[in-house]
PDB file of all heavy atoms in Angstrom:
ATOM      1  N   TRP C   1      -0.161  -0.463 -30.062  1.00  0.00           N
ATOM      2  CA  TRP C   1      -1.527  -1.010 -29.872  1.00  0.00           C
ATOM      3  C   TRP C   1      -1.383  -2.433 -29.192  1.00  0.00           C
ATOM      4  O   TRP C   1      -2.164  -2.591 -28.215  1.00  0.00           O
ATOM      5  CB  TRP C   1      -2.213  -1.116 -31.298  1.00  0.00           C
ATOM      6  CG  TRP C   1      -2.667   0.126 -31.717  1.00  0.00           C
ATOM      7  CD1 TRP C   1      -2.160   0.953 -32.748  1.00  0.00           C
ATOM      8  CD2 TRP C   1      -3.815   0.900 -31.298  1.00  0.00           C
ATOM      9  NE1 TRP C   1      -2.774   2.124 -32.861  1.00  0.00           N
ATOM     10  CE2 TRP C   1      -3.795   2.050 -31.985  1.00  0.00           C
ATOM     11  CE3 TRP C   1      -4.685   0.632 -30.256  1.00  0.00           C
ATOM     12  CZ2 TRP C   1      -4.795   3.093 -31.664  1.00  0.00           C
ATOM     13  CZ3 TRP C   1      -5.711   1.583 -29.994  1.00  0.00           C
ATOM     14  CH2 TRP C   1      -5.670   2.763 -30.719  1.00  0.00           C
ATOM     15  N   PRO C   2      -0.473  -3.269 -29.637  1.00  0.00           N
ATOM     16  CA  PRO C   2      -0.281  -4.505 -28.879  1.00  0.00           C
ATOM     17  C   PRO C   2       0.092  -4.316 -27.517  1.00  0.00           C
ATOM     18  O   PRO C   2      -0.242  -5.080 -26.599  1.00  0.00           O
ATOM     19  CB  PRO C   2       0.807  -5.289 -29.684  1.00  0.00           C
ATOM     20  CG  PRO C   2       0.792  -4.658 -30.954  1.00  0.00           C
ATOM     21  CD  PRO C   2       0.331  -3.293 -30.841  1.00  0.00           C
ATOM     22  N   LEU C   3       0.993  -3.290 -27.309  1.00  0.00           N
ATOM     23  CA  LEU C   3       1.361  -2.979 -25.883  1.00  0.00           C
ATOM     24  C   LEU C   3       0.174  -2.557 -25.004  1.00  0.00           C
ATOM     25  O   LEU C   3      -0.025  -2.900 -23.829  1.00  0.00           O
ATOM     26  CB  LEU C   3       2.404  -1.824 -25.797  1.00  0.00           C
ATOM     27  CG  LEU C   3       3.896  -2.259 -25.973  1.00  0.00           C
ATOM     28  CD1 LEU C   3       4.767  -1.173 -26.157  1.00  0.00           C
ATOM     29  CD2 LEU C   3       4.302  -3.106 -24.807  1.00  0.00           C
ATOM     30  N   LEU C   4      -0.710  -1.729 -25.698  1.00  0.00           N
ATOM     31  CA  LEU C   4      -1.973  -1.329 -24.889  1.00  0.00           C
ATOM     32  C   LEU C   4      -2.856  -2.599 -24.622  1.00  0.00           C
ATOM     33  O   LEU C   4      -3.403  -2.685 -23.495  1.00  0.00           O
ATOM     34  CB  LEU C   4      -2.742  -0.330 -25.791  1.00  0.00           C
ATOM     35  CG  LEU C   4      -4.114   0.101 -25.252  1.00  0.00           C
ATOM     36  CD1 LEU C   4      -3.835   1.035 -23.932  1.00  0.00           C
ATOM     37  CD2 LEU C   4      -4.847   1.001 -26.201  1.00  0.00           C
ATOM     38  N   VAL C   5      -3.023  -3.363 -25.488  1.00  0.00           N
ATOM     39  CA  VAL C   5      -3.762  -4.694 -25.328  1.00  0.00           C
ATOM     40  C   VAL C   5      -3.161  -5.434 -24.177  1.00  0.00           C
ATOM     41  O   VAL C   5      -3.886  -5.992 -23.299  1.00  0.00           O
ATOM     42  CB  VAL C   5      -3.993  -5.458 -26.637  1.00  0.00           C
ATOM     43  CG1 VAL C   5      -4.529  -6.849 -26.283  1.00  0.00           C
ATOM     44  CG2 VAL C   5      -4.799  -4.732 -27.608  1.00  0.00           C
ATOM     45  N   ALA C   6      -1.823  -5.707 -24.316  1.00  0.00           N
ATOM     46  CA  ALA C   6      -1.161  -6.391 -23.234  1.00  0.00           C
ATOM     47  C   ALA C   6      -1.292  -5.686 -21.838  1.00  0.00           C
ATOM     48  O   ALA C   6      -1.557  -6.395 -20.830  1.00  0.00           O
ATOM     49  CB  ALA C   6       0.278  -6.488 -23.551  1.00  0.00           C
ATOM     50  N   SER C   7      -1.232  -4.464 -21.772  1.00  0.00           N
ATOM     51  CA  SER C   7      -1.460  -3.860 -20.560  1.00  0.00           C
ATOM     52  C   SER C   7      -2.839  -3.932 -19.924  1.00  0.00           C
ATOM     53  O   SER C   7      -2.982  -4.217 -18.711  1.00  0.00           O
ATOM     54  CB  SER C   7      -1.150  -2.276 -20.714  1.00  0.00           C
ATOM     55  OG  SER C   7       0.158  -1.962 -21.175  1.00  0.00           O
ATOM     56  N   VAL C   8      -3.812  -3.790 -20.795  1.00  0.00           N
ATOM     57  CA  VAL C   8      -5.251  -4.019 -20.349  1.00  0.00           C
ATOM     58  C   VAL C   8      -5.444  -5.443 -19.921  1.00  0.00           C
ATOM     59  O   VAL C   8      -6.050  -5.716 -18.795  1.00  0.00           O
ATOM     60  CB  VAL C   8      -6.243  -3.583 -21.507  1.00  0.00           C
ATOM     61  CG1 VAL C   8      -7.602  -3.990 -21.159  1.00  0.00           C
ATOM     62  CG2 VAL C   8      -6.136  -2.095 -21.683  1.00  0.00           C
ATOM     63  N   PHE C   9      -4.894  -6.378 -20.625  1.00  0.00           N
ATOM     64  CA  PHE C   9      -5.066  -7.835 -20.271  1.00  0.00           C
ATOM     65  C   PHE C   9      -4.321  -8.100 -18.980  1.00  0.00           C
ATOM     66  O   PHE C   9      -4.786  -8.778 -18.115  1.00  0.00           O
ATOM     67  CB  PHE C   9      -4.512  -8.643 -21.355  1.00  0.00           C
ATOM     68  CG  PHE C   9      -4.823 -10.050 -21.278  1.00  0.00           C
ATOM     69  CD1 PHE C   9      -5.980 -10.554 -21.200  1.00  0.00           C
ATOM     70  CD2 PHE C   9      -3.746 -10.984 -21.062  1.00  0.00           C
ATOM     71  CE1 PHE C   9      -6.379 -11.903 -21.067  1.00  0.00           C
ATOM     72  CE2 PHE C   9      -4.002 -12.377 -20.902  1.00  0.00           C
ATOM     73  CZ  PHE C   9      -5.260 -12.926 -20.919  1.00  0.00           C
ATOM     74  N   GLY C  10      -3.083  -7.541 -18.772  1.00  0.00           N
ATOM     75  CA  GLY C  10      -2.341  -7.697 -17.568  1.00  0.00           C
ATOM     76  C   GLY C  10      -3.000  -7.119 -16.441  1.00  0.00           C
ATOM     77  O   GLY C  10      -3.067  -7.698 -15.341  1.00  0.00           O
ATOM     78  N   LEU C  11      -3.561  -5.930 -16.585  1.00  0.00           N
ATOM     79  CA  LEU C  11      -4.288  -5.351 -15.413  1.00  0.00           C
ATOM     80  C   LEU C  11      -5.523  -6.046 -15.048  1.00  0.00           C
ATOM     81  O   LEU C  11      -5.925  -6.361 -13.830  1.00  0.00           O
ATOM     82  CB  LEU C  11      -4.769  -3.911 -15.866  1.00  0.00           C
ATOM     83  CG  LEU C  11      -5.576  -3.073 -14.811  1.00  0.00           C
ATOM     84  CD1 LEU C  11      -4.687  -2.940 -13.517  1.00  0.00           C
ATOM     85  CD2 LEU C  11      -6.000  -1.787 -15.271  1.00  0.00           C
ATOM     86  N   ALA C  12      -6.232  -6.654 -16.136  1.00  0.00           N
ATOM     87  CA  ALA C  12      -7.353  -7.519 -15.786  1.00  0.00           C
ATOM     88  C   ALA C  12      -7.018  -8.781 -15.010  1.00  0.00           C
ATOM     89  O   ALA C  12      -7.668  -9.147 -14.075  1.00  0.00           O
ATOM     90  CB  ALA C  12      -8.143  -7.954 -17.097  1.00  0.00           C
ATOM     91  N   LEU C  13      -5.866  -9.358 -15.322  1.00  0.00           N
ATOM     92  CA  LEU C  13      -5.305 -10.478 -14.639  1.00  0.00           C
ATOM     93  C   LEU C  13      -5.017 -10.167 -13.269  1.00  0.00           C
ATOM     94  O   LEU C  13      -5.271 -11.004 -12.252  1.00  0.00           O
ATOM     95  CB  LEU C  13      -4.215 -11.138 -15.381  1.00  0.00           C
ATOM     96  CG  LEU C  13      -4.498 -11.940 -16.568  1.00  0.00           C
ATOM     97  CD1 LEU C  13      -3.141 -12.334 -17.372  1.00  0.00           C
ATOM     98  CD2 LEU C  13      -5.310 -13.219 -16.328  1.00  0.00           C
ATOM     99  N   ILE C  14      -4.397  -9.066 -12.971  1.00  0.00           N
ATOM    100  CA  ILE C  14      -3.973  -8.608 -11.605  1.00  0.00           C
ATOM    101  C   ILE C  14      -5.252  -8.414 -10.830  1.00  0.00           C
ATOM    102  O   ILE C  14      -5.296  -8.779  -9.671  1.00  0.00           O
ATOM    103  CB  ILE C  14      -3.109  -7.316 -11.746  1.00  0.00           C
ATOM    104  CG1 ILE C  14      -1.776  -7.645 -12.339  1.00  0.00           C
ATOM    105  CG2 ILE C  14      -3.009  -6.632 -10.337  1.00  0.00           C
ATOM    106  CD1 ILE C  14      -0.934  -6.446 -12.720  1.00  0.00           C
ATOM    107  N   LEU C  15      -6.213  -7.760 -11.298  1.00  0.00           N
ATOM    108  CA  LEU C  15      -7.451  -7.545 -10.583  1.00  0.00           C
ATOM    109  C   LEU C  15      -8.211  -8.845 -10.304  1.00  0.00           C
ATOM    110  O   LEU C  15      -8.730  -9.051  -9.188  1.00  0.00           O
ATOM    111  CB  LEU C  15      -8.442  -6.522 -11.358  1.00  0.00           C
ATOM    112  CG  LEU C  15      -7.904  -5.118 -11.436  1.00  0.00           C
ATOM    113  CD1 LEU C  15      -8.856  -4.334 -12.367  1.00  0.00           C
ATOM    114  CD2 LEU C  15      -7.846  -4.497 -10.131  1.00  0.00           C
ATOM    115  N   ASP C  16      -8.176  -9.709 -11.242  1.00  0.00           N
ATOM    116  CA  ASP C  16      -8.817 -11.050 -11.079  1.00  0.00           C
ATOM    117  C   ASP C  16      -8.097 -11.772  -9.915  1.00  0.00           C
ATOM    118  O   ASP C  16      -8.742 -12.308  -8.943  1.00  0.00           O
ATOM    119  CB  ASP C  16      -8.767 -11.903 -12.351  1.00  0.00           C
ATOM    120  CG  ASP C  16      -9.205 -13.306 -12.120  1.00  0.00           C
ATOM    121  OD1 ASP C  16     -10.402 -13.466 -11.748  1.00  0.00           O
ATOM    122  OD2 ASP C  16      -8.335 -14.136 -12.216  1.00  0.00           O
ATOM    123  N   ARG C  17      -6.812 -11.805  -9.826  1.00  0.00           N
ATOM    124  CA  ARG C  17      -6.101 -12.575  -8.844  1.00  0.00           C
ATOM    125  C   ARG C  17      -6.242 -11.858  -7.553  1.00  0.00           C
ATOM    126  O   ARG C  17      -6.313 -12.520  -6.373  1.00  0.00           O
ATOM    127  CB  ARG C  17      -4.511 -12.659  -9.252  1.00  0.00           C
ATOM    128  CG  ARG C  17      -4.323 -13.613 -10.388  1.00  0.00           C
ATOM    129  CD  ARG C  17      -4.661 -15.083 -10.111  1.00  0.00           C
ATOM    130  NE  ARG C  17      -6.093 -15.359 -10.338  1.00  0.00           N
ATOM    131  CZ  ARG C  17      -6.832 -16.308  -9.734  1.00  0.00           C
ATOM    132  NH1 ARG C  17      -6.229 -17.130  -8.907  1.00  0.00           N
ATOM    133  NH2 ARG C  17      -8.080 -16.487  -9.897  1.00  0.00           N
ATOM    134  N   THR C  18      -6.207 -10.517  -7.492  1.00  0.00           N
ATOM    135  CA  THR C  18      -6.382  -9.782  -6.286  1.00  0.00           C
ATOM    136  C   THR C  18      -7.726 -10.137  -5.617  1.00  0.00           C
ATOM    137  O   THR C  18      -7.855 -10.395  -4.391  1.00  0.00           O
ATOM    138  CB  THR C  18      -6.280  -8.304  -6.448  1.00  0.00           C
ATOM    139  OG1 THR C  18      -5.052  -8.073  -7.119  1.00  0.00           O
ATOM    140  CG2 THR C  18      -6.464  -7.618  -5.209  1.00  0.00           C
ATOM    141  N   ILE C  19      -8.827 -10.227  -6.442  1.00  0.00           N
ATOM    142  CA  ILE C  19     -10.125 -10.432  -5.802  1.00  0.00           C
ATOM    143  C   ILE C  19     -10.173 -11.888  -5.413  1.00  0.00           C
ATOM    144  O   ILE C  19     -10.737 -12.135  -4.417  1.00  0.00           O
ATOM    145  CB  ILE C  19     -11.189 -10.160  -6.934  1.00  0.00           C
ATOM    146  CG1 ILE C  19     -11.349  -8.636  -7.184  1.00  0.00           C
ATOM    147  CG2 ILE C  19     -12.553 -10.762  -6.465  1.00  0.00           C
ATOM    148  CD1 ILE C  19     -12.123  -8.286  -8.347  1.00  0.00           C
ATOM    149  N   ALA C  20      -9.589 -12.903  -6.171  1.00  0.00           N
ATOM    150  CA  ALA C  20      -9.606 -14.233  -5.721  1.00  0.00           C
ATOM    151  C   ALA C  20      -8.836 -14.426  -4.506  1.00  0.00           C
ATOM    152  O   ALA C  20      -9.237 -15.181  -3.628  1.00  0.00           O
ATOM    153  CB  ALA C  20      -8.979 -15.028  -6.905  1.00  0.00           C
ATOM    154  N   TYR C  21      -7.672 -13.733  -4.349  1.00  0.00           N
ATOM    155  CA  TYR C  21      -6.952 -13.894  -3.016  1.00  0.00           C
ATOM    156  C   TYR C  21      -7.661 -13.259  -1.919  1.00  0.00           C
ATOM    157  O   TYR C  21      -7.632 -13.784  -0.804  1.00  0.00           O
ATOM    158  CB  TYR C  21      -5.490 -13.275  -3.206  1.00  0.00           C
ATOM    159  CG  TYR C  21      -4.627 -14.045  -4.166  1.00  0.00           C
ATOM    160  CD1 TYR C  21      -3.708 -13.394  -4.831  1.00  0.00           C
ATOM    161  CD2 TYR C  21      -4.763 -15.412  -4.428  1.00  0.00           C
ATOM    162  CE1 TYR C  21      -2.787 -13.961  -5.695  1.00  0.00           C
ATOM    163  CE2 TYR C  21      -3.924 -15.954  -5.440  1.00  0.00           C
ATOM    164  CZ  TYR C  21      -2.972 -15.261  -5.941  1.00  0.00           C
ATOM    165  OH  TYR C  21      -2.053 -15.811  -6.796  1.00  0.00           O
ATOM    166  N   LEU C  22      -8.366 -12.107  -2.113  1.00  0.00           N
ATOM    167  CA  LEU C  22      -9.039 -11.529  -1.003  1.00  0.00           C
ATOM    168  C   LEU C  22     -10.257 -12.424  -0.570  1.00  0.00           C
ATOM    169  O   LEU C  22     -10.603 -12.341   0.580  1.00  0.00           O
ATOM    170  CB  LEU C  22      -9.533 -10.160  -1.392  1.00  0.00           C
ATOM    171  CG  LEU C  22      -8.432  -9.034  -1.536  1.00  0.00           C
ATOM    172  CD1 LEU C  22      -8.950  -7.804  -2.037  1.00  0.00           C
ATOM    173  CD2 LEU C  22      -7.708  -8.973  -0.154  1.00  0.00           C
ATOM    174  N   ARG C  23     -10.768 -13.112  -1.442  1.00  0.00           N
ATOM    175  CA  ARG C  23     -11.895 -14.060  -1.143  1.00  0.00           C
ATOM    176  C   ARG C  23     -11.571 -15.210  -0.304  1.00  0.00           C
ATOM    177  O   ARG C  23     -12.279 -15.803   0.408  1.00  0.00           O
ATOM    178  CB  ARG C  23     -12.597 -14.604  -2.330  1.00  0.00           C
ATOM    179  CG  ARG C  23     -13.469 -13.509  -2.998  1.00  0.00           C
ATOM    180  CD  ARG C  23     -14.167 -14.241  -4.158  1.00  0.00           C
ATOM    181  NE  ARG C  23     -15.041 -13.210  -4.824  1.00  0.00           N
ATOM    182  CZ  ARG C  23     -15.577 -13.385  -6.020  1.00  0.00           C
ATOM    183  NH1 ARG C  23     -15.328 -14.545  -6.731  1.00  0.00           N
ATOM    184  NH2 ARG C  23     -16.335 -12.398  -6.593  1.00  0.00           N
ATOM    185  N   ARG C  24     -10.210 -15.619  -0.445  1.00  0.00           N
ATOM    186  CA  ARG C  24      -9.655 -16.801   0.282  1.00  0.00           C
ATOM    187  C   ARG C  24      -8.906 -16.415   1.554  1.00  0.00           C
ATOM    188  O   ARG C  24      -8.341 -17.270   2.150  1.00  0.00           O
ATOM    189  CB  ARG C  24      -8.791 -17.549  -0.717  1.00  0.00           C
ATOM    190  CG  ARG C  24      -9.542 -18.114  -1.849  1.00  0.00           C
ATOM    191  CD  ARG C  24      -8.541 -18.878  -2.674  1.00  0.00           C
ATOM    192  NE  ARG C  24      -9.357 -19.349  -3.911  1.00  0.00           N
ATOM    193  CZ  ARG C  24      -8.676 -19.702  -5.074  1.00  0.00           C
ATOM    194  NH1 ARG C  24      -7.437 -19.593  -5.221  1.00  0.00           N
ATOM    195  NH2 ARG C  24      -9.342 -20.218  -6.025  1.00  0.00           N
ATOM    196  N   VAL C  25      -8.835 -15.214   1.928  1.00  0.00           N
ATOM    197  CA  VAL C  25      -8.106 -14.815   3.097  1.00  0.00           C
ATOM    198  C   VAL C  25      -8.678 -15.596   4.351  1.00  0.00           C
ATOM    199  O   VAL C  25      -9.841 -15.590   4.567  1.00  0.00           O
ATOM    200  CB  VAL C  25      -8.118 -13.280   3.349  1.00  0.00           C
ATOM    201  CG1 VAL C  25      -7.568 -12.970   4.699  1.00  0.00           C
ATOM    202  CG2 VAL C  25      -7.402 -12.597   2.271  1.00  0.00           C
ATOM    203  N   GLN C  26      -7.727 -16.107   5.117  1.00  0.00           N
ATOM    204  CA  GLN C  26      -8.172 -16.874   6.327  1.00  0.00           C
ATOM    205  C   GLN C  26      -7.037 -16.712   7.398  1.00  0.00           C
ATOM    206  O   GLN C  26      -5.830 -16.821   7.003  1.00  0.00           O
ATOM    207  CB  GLN C  26      -8.388 -18.306   6.062  1.00  0.00           C
ATOM    208  CG  GLN C  26      -8.879 -19.067   7.178  1.00  0.00           C
ATOM    209  CD  GLN C  26      -9.074 -20.646   6.938  1.00  0.00           C
ATOM    210  OE1 GLN C  26      -8.518 -21.155   5.948  1.00  0.00           O
ATOM    211  NE2 GLN C  26      -9.989 -21.235   7.557  1.00  0.00           N
ATOM    212  N   SER C  27      -7.413 -16.508   8.604  1.00  0.00           N
ATOM    213  CA  SER C  27      -6.444 -16.465   9.588  1.00  0.00           C
ATOM    214  C   SER C  27      -6.030 -17.751  10.162  1.00  0.00           C
ATOM    215  O   SER C  27      -6.882 -18.446  10.707  1.00  0.00           O
ATOM    216  CB  SER C  27      -6.990 -15.502  10.741  1.00  0.00           C
ATOM    217  OG  SER C  27      -6.068 -15.534  11.874  1.00  0.00           O
ATOM    218  N   PHE C  28      -4.782 -18.064  10.042  1.00  0.00           N
ATOM    219  CA  PHE C  28      -4.295 -19.397  10.439  1.00  0.00           C
ATOM    220  C   PHE C  28      -4.418 -19.465  12.042  1.00  0.00           C
ATOM    221  O   PHE C  28      -4.799 -20.469  12.576  1.00  0.00           O
ATOM    222  CB  PHE C  28      -2.818 -19.523  10.009  1.00  0.00           C
ATOM    223  CG  PHE C  28      -2.122 -20.769  10.553  1.00  0.00           C
ATOM    224  CD1 PHE C  28      -2.421 -22.058  10.063  1.00  0.00           C
ATOM    225  CD2 PHE C  28      -1.271 -20.704  11.621  1.00  0.00           C
ATOM    226  CE1 PHE C  28      -1.804 -23.188  10.560  1.00  0.00           C
ATOM    227  CE2 PHE C  28      -0.593 -21.780  12.009  1.00  0.00           C
ATOM    228  CZ  PHE C  28      -0.892 -23.032  11.575  1.00  0.00           C
ATOM    229  N   HIS C  29      -3.946 -18.409  12.667  1.00  0.00           N
ATOM    230  CA  HIS C  29      -3.884 -18.438  14.140  1.00  0.00           C
ATOM    231  C   HIS C  29      -5.331 -18.504  14.703  1.00  0.00           C
ATOM    232  O   HIS C  29      -5.533 -19.204  15.726  1.00  0.00           O
ATOM    233  CB  HIS C  29      -3.307 -17.177  14.688  1.00  0.00           C
ATOM    234  CG  HIS C  29      -1.753 -17.168  14.210  1.00  0.00           C
ATOM    235  ND1 HIS C  29      -0.817 -17.997  14.629  1.00  0.00           N
ATOM    236  CD2 HIS C  29      -1.230 -16.341  13.418  1.00  0.00           C
ATOM    237  CE1 HIS C  29       0.377 -17.776  14.066  1.00  0.00           C
ATOM    238  NE2 HIS C  29       0.152 -16.747  13.312  1.00  0.00           N
ATOM    239  N   ARG C  30      -6.309 -17.865  14.092  1.00  0.00           N
ATOM    240  CA  ARG C  30      -7.663 -17.932  14.492  1.00  0.00           C
ATOM    241  C   ARG C  30      -8.194 -19.382  14.444  1.00  0.00           C
ATOM    242  O   ARG C  30      -8.893 -19.846  15.319  1.00  0.00           O
ATOM    243  CB  ARG C  30      -8.548 -17.025  13.760  1.00  0.00           C
ATOM    244  CG  ARG C  30      -9.980 -16.934  14.348  1.00  0.00           C
ATOM    245  CD  ARG C  30     -10.929 -16.085  13.541  1.00  0.00           C
ATOM    246  NE  ARG C  30     -10.412 -14.718  13.526  1.00  0.00           N
ATOM    247  CZ  ARG C  30     -10.594 -13.825  12.486  1.00  0.00           C
ATOM    248  NH1 ARG C  30     -11.368 -14.157  11.491  1.00  0.00           N
ATOM    249  NH2 ARG C  30     -10.011 -12.612  12.648  1.00  0.00           N
ATOM    250  N   LEU C  31      -7.902 -20.048  13.315  1.00  0.00           N
ATOM    251  CA  LEU C  31      -8.405 -21.446  13.080  1.00  0.00           C
ATOM    252  C   LEU C  31      -7.776 -22.339  14.189  1.00  0.00           C
ATOM    253  O   LEU C  31      -8.376 -23.212  14.744  1.00  0.00           O
ATOM    254  CB  LEU C  31      -8.065 -21.852  11.627  1.00  0.00           C
ATOM    255  CG  LEU C  31      -8.471 -23.334  11.379  1.00  0.00           C
ATOM    256  CD1 LEU C  31     -10.016 -23.485  11.501  1.00  0.00           C
ATOM    257  CD2 LEU C  31      -7.907 -23.692  10.011  1.00  0.00           C
ATOM    258  N   VAL C  32      -6.347 -22.087  14.329  1.00  0.00           N
ATOM    259  CA  VAL C  32      -5.673 -23.020  15.342  1.00  0.00           C
ATOM    260  C   VAL C  32      -6.382 -22.819  16.845  1.00  0.00           C
ATOM    261  O   VAL C  32      -6.532 -23.752  17.552  1.00  0.00           O
ATOM    262  CB  VAL C  32      -4.196 -22.714  15.328  1.00  0.00           C
ATOM    263  CG1 VAL C  32      -3.563 -23.300  16.571  1.00  0.00           C
ATOM    264  CG2 VAL C  32      -3.528 -23.160  14.082  1.00  0.00           C
ATOM    265  N   ARG C  33      -6.671 -21.554  17.181  1.00  0.00           N
ATOM    266  CA  ARG C  33      -7.213 -21.346  18.439  1.00  0.00           C
ATOM    267  C   ARG C  33      -8.635 -21.925  18.500  1.00  0.00           C
ATOM    268  O   ARG C  33      -8.922 -22.553  19.534  1.00  0.00           O
ATOM    269  CB  ARG C  33      -7.404 -19.784  18.703  1.00  0.00           C
ATOM    270  CG  ARG C  33      -6.148 -19.118  19.138  1.00  0.00           C
ATOM    271  CD  ARG C  33      -6.349 -17.727  19.626  1.00  0.00           C
ATOM    272  NE  ARG C  33      -7.147 -16.913  18.803  1.00  0.00           N
ATOM    273  CZ  ARG C  33      -6.517 -15.991  17.816  1.00  0.00           C
ATOM    274  NH1 ARG C  33      -5.199 -16.010  17.814  1.00  0.00           N
ATOM    275  NH2 ARG C  33      -7.254 -15.343  17.099  1.00  0.00           N
ATOM    276  N   ARG C  34      -9.327 -21.942  17.395  1.00  0.00           N
ATOM    277  CA  ARG C  34     -10.701 -22.585  17.500  1.00  0.00           C
ATOM    278  C   ARG C  34     -10.607 -24.114  17.525  1.00  0.00           C
ATOM    279  O   ARG C  34     -11.410 -24.740  18.053  1.00  0.00           O
ATOM    280  CB  ARG C  34     -11.444 -22.094  16.240  1.00  0.00           C
ATOM    281  CG  ARG C  34     -11.894 -20.697  16.369  1.00  0.00           C
ATOM    282  CD  ARG C  34     -12.699 -20.263  15.156  1.00  0.00           C
ATOM    283  NE  ARG C  34     -14.053 -21.048  15.137  1.00  0.00           N
ATOM    284  CZ  ARG C  34     -14.699 -21.235  14.050  1.00  0.00           C
ATOM    285  NH1 ARG C  34     -14.285 -20.770  12.827  1.00  0.00           N
ATOM    286  NH2 ARG C  34     -15.842 -21.840  14.061  1.00  0.00           N
TER     287      ARG C  34
END
């Protein structure tokens, strides 16, 4: 049971960070060119 809770919590954190990183994606080279 605690392992299941830890797994669900870990998956939620992974999804949260993935979404946060995808929102902040920016092309360095495109900015430099501009």
Side-chain angles (χ1 to χ4, degrees):
W1 289 105
L3 273 172
L4 178 65
V5 170
S7 297
V8 170
F9 189 63
L11 182 62
L13 286 171
I14 290 169
L15 291 175
D16 172 65
R17 291 295 82 205
T18 301
I19 291 168
Y21 292 153
L22 290 175
R23 285 185 181 166
R24 294 178 181 161
V25 170
Q26 182 180 26
S27 172
F28 173 76
H29 298 294
R30 185 181 303 152
L31 179 65
V32 169
R33 279 194 306 269
R34 290 181 64 203

